[in-house]
């Protein structure tokens, strides 16, 4: 049962590790996330288990083709697999790190405006839920992107051990990526050029035991934005779960093994053939859990998109190409992804917010926000809004069969427009008071420029929407205070019930600067 104890802000207890040491009558509300689907715990006879790939077979030996076929099908069917391999001193060193006094650990705390460092879930709003875990995230490669106060300042034994671990794992990751390229029939060169000396980062996560583990989530469901993630369960305590065919399945790590996740970039590279697996971590009431995830990504200088060598008329690209630098920046810039901000945006676009897409609500695959909004059909649709001081966001609508590009209304095409040239392109200020908690949405303004880009084409894949195809998700130029800024989408979903009715419910999505 949820506690009635007042919420404590993570600022009150600096880390979840410290919070968990305090006597507690109930879990502070901020950590209570009771809406999680339970996993299937035992199917006595047929509990699905993730595929196991033997690296020795994969690299040499007679069974190598058979093992490669297993790897290919594991990536296609599961998006996750297990590799028997080395285990390093790293486990010991990481456990030692979490035994350091709090002041020592706080030397690496996440600094305002940053995503790297040690601490709890980064807060974007007062009502945000917080995971039952402390993370230490940092970029490890390229070397010049390392934050001087993080890796270089770690206790020397941990730092040196991590350095050798990173270089070992880099070799393992390249071997895996080359084998994956072979299985996908992508040219090896293409993968090498992307990932060799690519962007790499690491996340050490500490999950303290929790007196009411069923109320909290260790790590919110997500897919990794990486190419592949190599995950080490540091202290042998289980907790990772993945979603397969709609059901949560616990992952049992083999002793001394890694689990490898297919991430979003590999899904894109394979043009959708491989699946970026949705996963989460749960906690228990008895034992702390520690994991170490290492994320392997392309270099900042390259573009992410479906591999050129597998694209042909029978397999057209389903994702747009985007520079890695931008991909990464977008991933970490999530500021308006909370219910309050999204309902304000919805009110600015239509009459009211009907529903937030579950992916959006759970901040999963969330490079755009998808909302179902009731709109007034007497008024032009809203093509873009300006949030706060200067962020222009465009909006896309799903299921708008007819749209007049002159006046922005949805019941006629522009040759029959009675309103033209009535609409004005002058930006209008919204007469709402800005909620004080939303420093990032001080005001919302509109502009009136209409075009086919407002309509999401019928066959467009919605996810990963923000990377989706040439015809669908578009970049548009919208005016901003005398100059032009290029911004990606808001997108809307669903169907207009009937263009004859005076209001209709339309799903909308808003891309933004969202940070996990
Ligand atoms: O702790 C785990 O097992 C999962 C970690 C994870 O998914 C991540 O860091 O992205
Ligand atoms: Fe993950």
């Amino acid at each position: 049962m949820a506690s009635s104890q007042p919420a404590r802000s993570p600022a009150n207890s600096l880390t979840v590790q410290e919070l968990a040491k305090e006597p507690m009558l109930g879990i502070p509300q901020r950590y209570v996330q009771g809406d999680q689907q339970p996993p299937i715990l035992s199917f006595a006879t047929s509990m699905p288990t993730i595929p196991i790939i033997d690296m020795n077979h994969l690299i040499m030996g007679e069974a190598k083709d058979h093992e490669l076929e297993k790897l290919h099908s594991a990536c296609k069917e599961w998006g996750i697999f297990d590799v028997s391999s080395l285990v390093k001193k790293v486990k010991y060193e990481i456990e030692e790190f979490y035994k350091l006094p709090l002041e020592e650990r706080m030397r690496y705390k996440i600094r305002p405006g940053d995503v790297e460092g040690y601490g709890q879930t980064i807060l974007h709003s007062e009502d945000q839920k917080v995971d039952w875990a402390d993370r230490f995230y940092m970029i490890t490669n390229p070397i010049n992107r390392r934050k001087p106060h993080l890796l270089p300042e770690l206790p020397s034994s941990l730092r040196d051990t991590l350095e050798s671990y990173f270089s070992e794992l880099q070799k393992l990751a390249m071997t895996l990526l080359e084998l994956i390229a072979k299985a996908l029939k992508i040219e090896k060169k293409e993968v090498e050029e992307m990932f060799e000396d690519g962007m790499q980062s690491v996340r050490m996560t500490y999950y303290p035991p929790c007196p009411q583990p069923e109320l909290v989530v260790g790590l919110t469901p997500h897919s990794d934005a990486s190419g592949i993630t190599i995950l080490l369960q540091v202290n042998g305590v289980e907790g990772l779960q993945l979603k397969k065919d709609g059901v949560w399945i616990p992952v049992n790590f083999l002793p001394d093994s890694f689990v490898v996740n297919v991430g979003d970039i590999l899904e894109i590279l394979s043009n959708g053939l491989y699946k970026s697996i949705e996963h989460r971590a749960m906690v228990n009431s008895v034992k702390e859990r520690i994991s170490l995830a290492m994320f392997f990504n392309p270099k900042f200088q390259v573009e992410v998109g479906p591999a050129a060598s597998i694209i042909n008329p029978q397999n057209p690209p389903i994702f747009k190409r985007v520079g890695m630098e931008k991909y990464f920046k977008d991933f970490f810039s999530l500021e308006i992804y909370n219910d309050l901000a999204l309902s304000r945006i919805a009110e600015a676009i239509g009459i009211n917010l009907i529903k937030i897409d579950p992916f959006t609500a759970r901040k999963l695959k969330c490079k755009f926000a998808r909302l179902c909004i009731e709109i007034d059909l007497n008024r032009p649709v809203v093509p873009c809004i300006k949030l706060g001081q200067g962020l222009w966001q465009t909006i896309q609508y799903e299921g708008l069969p007819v749209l007049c590009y002159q006046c922005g209304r949805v019941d006629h095409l522009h040759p029959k427009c009675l309103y033209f040239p009535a609409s004005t392109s002058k930006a209008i200020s919204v007469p709402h008071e800005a909620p004080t908690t939303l420093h990032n949405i001080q005001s919302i303004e509109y502009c009136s420029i209409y075009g086919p880009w407002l309509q999401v084409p019928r066959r467009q894949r919605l996810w990963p929407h923000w990377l989706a195809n040439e015809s669908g998700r578009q970049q548009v130029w919208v005016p901003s205070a005398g100059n032009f800024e290029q911004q990606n989408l808001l997108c809307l979903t669903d169907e207009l019930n009937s263009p004859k009715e005076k209001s209709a419910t339309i799903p909308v999505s808003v891309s933004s600067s969202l940070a996990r």
Side-chain angles (χ1 to χ4, degrees):
M1 212 181 28
S3 135
S4 55
Q5 212 175 301
R8 300 179 59 121
S9 108
N12 293 352
S13 42
L14 289 171
T15 63
V16 184
Q17 189 175 349
E18 269 42 56
L19 172 70
K21 287 179 192 156
E22 293 175 19
M24 231 181 282
L25 287 175
I27 303 298
Q29 278 303 322
R30 190 183 282 289
Y31 298 88
V32 173
Q33 304 192 51
D35 53 352
Q36 301 291 316
Q37 283 172 278
I40 43 164
L41 280 178
S42 66
F43 276 0
T45 49
S46 62
M47 165 92 157
T49 53
I50 66 167
I52 294 166
I53 311 294
D54 187 320
M55 281 302 280
N56 288 331
H57 285 169
L58 198 56
I59 297 169
M60 57 205 154
E62 283 168 17
K64 116 174 148 196
D65 286 347
H66 173 68
E67 207 65 20
L68 186 62
E69 190 42 51
K70 263 173 74 186
L71 171 77
H72 190 51
S73 108
C75 290
K76 276 193 303 188
E77 309 301 332
W78 283 83
I80 195 160
F81 53 96
D82 204 325
V83 181
S84 305
S85 187
L86 64 160
V87 174
K88 294 279 172 194
K89 189 167 169 263
V90 76
K91 290 186 172 185
Y92 169 79
E93 291 291 345
I94 291 179
E95 288 194 76
E96 289 302 298
F97 175 81
Y98 288 108
K99 290 182 194 155
L100 289 175
L102 177 65
E103 316 81 75
E104 292 282 314
R105 281 178 273 133
M106 292 314 281
R107 287 178 56 201
Y108 313 100
K109 72 165 187 266
I110 303 169
R111 296 183 174 177
D114 202 353
V115 290
E116 291 180 68
Y118 171 63
Q120 309 193 38
T121 310
I122 299 172
L123 282 186
H124 297 288
S125 73
E126 283 303 310
D127 55 348
Q128 188 184 327
K129 291 292 180 186
V130 177
D131 289 345
W132 193 263
D134 303 319
R135 301 97 189 248
F136 192 147
Y137 175 79
M138 60 192 162
I139 295 178
T140 56
N141 202 60
I143 311 264
N144 63 8
R145 296 274 182 136
R146 288 181 179 180
K147 293 270 158 69
H149 67 288
L150 298 178
L151 190 64
E153 288 295 317
L154 285 178
S156 58
S157 55
L158 172 60
R159 189 190 58 224
D160 296 347
T161 311
L162 283 177
E163 289 280 19
S164 26
Y165 182 77
F166 298 156
S167 63
E168 291 291 338
L169 245 66
Q170 191 168 336
K171 288 183 227 152
L172 174 63
M174 280 317 292
T175 308
L176 280 169
L177 284 162
E178 281 161 18
L179 288 161
I180 286 170
K182 187 171 173 198
L184 279 169
K185 305 196 170 41
I186 296 177
E187 279 173 29
K188 189 172 160 200
K189 197 164 62 97
E190 220 176 319
V191 169
E192 274 171 1
E193 277 168 10
M194 276 183 100
F195 287 92
E196 194 72 69
D197 198 26
M199 184 273 189
Q200 290 154 22
S201 58
V202 74
R203 176 156 55 211
M204 305 192 278
T205 309
Y206 180 93
Y207 307 92
C210 176
Q212 292 169 292
E214 66 291 351
L215 296 183
V216 304
V217 178
L219 187 54
T220 304
H222 64 283
S223 65
D224 293 342
S226 56
I228 55 172
T229 305
I230 303 186
L231 186 67
L232 179 67
Q233 192 159 257
V234 171
N235 63 344
V237 178
E238 307 275 330
L240 177 66
Q241 297 180 357
L242 60 95
K243 203 171 200 180
K244 173 87 174 127
D245 303 326
V247 202
W248 285 105
I249 299 175
V251 176
N252 298 316
F253 282 63
L254 294 180
D256 297 344
S257 70
F258 296 112
V259 163
V260 180
N261 288 358
V262 169
D264 297 349
I265 292 180
L266 187 50
E267 176 169 343
I268 293 163
L269 195 72
S270 72
N271 203 27
L273 186 63
Y274 287 1
K275 304 289 167 256
S276 174
I277 187 81
E278 183 182 348
H279 54 287
R280 68 182 182 186
M282 303 308 267
V283 298
N284 68 76
S285 60
V286 188
K287 279 181 129 181
E288 64 189 10
R289 174 168 187 269
I290 306 176
S291 72
L292 178 66
M294 186 145 188
F295 306 100
F296 292 89
N297 301 290
K299 300 182 187 53
F300 280 116
Q301 302 83 329
V302 302
E303 276 197 336
V304 175
S309 47
I310 57 168
I311 293 306
N312 54 47
Q314 288 72 46
N315 185 21
I318 61 168
F319 302 107
K320 197 176 100 176
R321 303 188 73 76
V322 65
M324 179 60 197
E325 188 86 53
K326 175 164 169 44
Y327 176 93
F328 189 66
K329 187 160 150 268
D330 285 354
F331 180 74
F332 280 112
S333 57
L334 183 158
E335 284 169 2
I336 60 166
Y337 243 53
N338 60 72
D339 294 359
L340 201 55
L342 292 175
S343 44
R344 263 216 86 210
I345 290 171
E347 281 165 25
I349 292 170
I351 300 168
N352 59 48
L353 175 62
I354 307 289
K355 206 164 93 180
I356 300 179
D357 181 282
F359 280 91
T360 301
R362 285 153 56 209
K363 301 186 175 67
L364 186 69
K365 294 188 169 181
C366 53
K367 289 305 174 182
F368 64 97
R370 190 165 183 248
L371 309 173
C372 184
I373 298 175
E374 186 182 8
I375 61 168
D376 180 354
L377 295 182
N378 286 314
R379 302 187 57 190
V381 296
V382 174
C384 51
I385 54 179
K386 187 178 173 191
L387 306 172
Q389 296 308 305
L391 176 67
W392 276 100
Q393 288 290 167
T394 55
I395 302 167
Q396 281 187 297
Y397 296 78
E398 286 174 29
L400 286 189
V402 173
L403 175 67
C404 171
Y405 302 145
Q406 298 287 5
C407 75
R409 287 173 178 80
V410 296
D411 55 356
H412 60 272
L413 290 171
H414 72 264
K416 299 219 171 114
C417 184
L418 299 176
Y419 297 93
F420 183 75
S423 72
T424 163
S425 60
K426 199 166 163 285
I428 316 158
S429 289
V430 168
H432 297 213
E433 278 295 302
T436 48
T437 49
L438 290 178
H439 58 91
N440 52 329
I441 308 185
Q442 300 293 335
S443 62
I444 296 181
E445 292 174 35
Y446 299 100
C447 76
S448 323
I449 299 173
Y450 309 104
W453 54 269
L454 278 162
Q455 293 152 293
V456 177
R458 276 218 152 270
R459 286 174 52 247
Q460 182 178 344
R461 264 179 72 126
L462 282 174
W463 161 250
H465 202 117
W466 63 290
L467 286 178
N469 67 53
E470 305 303 337
S471 56
R473 196 144 176 274
Q474 319 233 348
Q475 298 210 323
V476 292
W477 292 92
V478 294
S480 158
N483 55 27
F484 286 85
E485 275 179 29
Q486 198 178 25
Q487 285 292 341
N488 257 351
L489 100 137
L490 289 178
C491 161
L492 317 211
T493 118
D494 224 5
E495 296 279 328
L496 270 180
N497 297 338
S498 152
K500 298 216 164 46
E501 289 172 17
K502 286 300 168 201
S503 77
T505 305
I506 303 200
V508 174
S509 43
V510 180
S511 103
S512 84
S513 316
L514 320 167
R516 233 184 254 235

